[in-house]
Amino acid sequence: MTPPLTLSSLPLFPLGSVLFPDGVLALRVFEVRYLDMVRKCHQAGAPFGVVSLTQGHEVRQAGAAEERFNDIGTLAVIEQLETPQPGLITVLCRGSQRFRITQRRHLPHGLWTADVGHIERDLTVPVPEDLKKASTALAQVLNTLQVRDPGLPQLVKPTAAQLDDCGWVANRWCELLPVPLELKQRLMELDNPLVRLELVGDVLERTGIAPS
């Protein structure tokens, strides 16, 4: 078996959300601990890691409990960066490969870094016939949202190949569905994209979005 790729001192951005591979993440960055980190990542063409919080807040608050977060996250690659005013950076990122934290460090100025190992990308698994309804419903929802707000960057028209990829379809639904953060995290961590889509399909049927 090929040993997992490793990355040392990856800067982390703990958030109250889950970033999925190929997902789009828009951030407004204003905390000092992240401003310098985001600039350096952008200049170097390097990613940072997004991890979902289990305790604490995205923005540090006086007297609040220290941030705690999951061991599995997703690399975020900066695609656009703008500085609309001093002390504020807006970035548009895309989710890349998942990773698992092997060691974490909390630096004096508040930034978290970690040594991580990459998790293999999802295998490309065609959407089976009994789950085609989830794919069809996703295309309809994305089209409706794009008509309603064509400026949203995450609403790019999907290709036929993407709509026939279990992992891609499941991940986009996970981003759209109003399910608890803990469930989104568990779905993101699943190694089998078909199982992920089957579980998403169960949620869709319960909510009536994609009838059986």
Side-chain angles (χ1 to χ4, degrees), residues 123-137:
L123 295 174
T124 300
V125 179
V127 176
E129 195 62 37
D130 63 322
L131 290 172
K132 291 285 188 184
K133 56 187 177 294
S135 181
T136 302

Side-chain angles (χ1 to χ4, degrees), residues 3-187:
L5 295 172
T6 58
L7 188 63
S8 299
S9 299
L10 176 73
L12 300 178
F13 208 132
L15 294 174
S17 58
V18 177
L19 177 62
F20 286 81
D22 298 316
V24 174
L25 174 68
L27 292 173
R28 290 170 54 86
V29 183
F30 52 87
E31 284 194 88
V32 174
R33 58 176 171 166
Y34 295 131
L35 287 170
D36 187 52
M37 178 268 279
V38 166
R39 286 193 196 97
K40 288 181 177 177
C41 286
H42 185 244
Q43 290 168 0
F48 59 88
V50 171
V51 286
S52 62
L53 287 161
T54 58
Q55 176 182 288
H57 306 276
E58 293 183 353
V59 179
R60 281 192 294 184
Q61 301 177 7
E66 183 177 82
E67 301 123 328
R68 296 187 185 278
F69 44 83
N70 287 287
D71 285 332
I72 295 179
T74 304
L75 295 179
V77 178
I78 299 173
E79 295 190 337
Q80 296 178 26
L81 182 147
E82 296 179 356
T83 307
Q85 64 188 56
L88 175 65
I89 294 176
T90 60
V91 292
L92 189 68
C93 307
R94 189 168 298 277
S96 178
Q97 198 165 359
R98 294 174 298 164
F99 61 83
R100 185 186 302 274
I101 294 173
T102 56
Q103 185 175 358
R104 62 182 74 188
R105 292 170 292 276
H106 200 191
L107 304 184
H109 63 294
L111 184 69
W112 288 92
T113 66
D115 298 340
V116 305
H118 289 300
I119 296 174
E120 291 294 330
R121 291 183 179 274
D122 283 340
L123 295 174
T124 300
V125 179
V127 176
E129 195 62 37
D130 63 322
L131 290 172
K132 291 285 188 184
K133 56 187 177 294
S135 181
T136 302
L138 177 64
Q140 294 170 345
V141 168
L142 290 177
N143 183 65
T144 299
L145 292 174
Q146 192 169 39
V147 170
R148 187 181 303 165
D149 194 347
L152 288 177
Q154 59 265 49
L155 298 180
V156 177
K157 186 174 178 62
T159 66
Q162 288 170 330
L163 290 173
D164 193 36
D165 181 345
C166 282
W168 195 91
V169 172
N171 289 350
R172 301 295 77 77
W173 270 124
C174 288
E175 294 162 352
L176 291 167
L177 288 170
V179 297
L181 183 66
E182 296 80 4
L183 177 55
K184 291 194 179 194
Q185 177 70 26
R186 290 200 298 272
L187 289 168

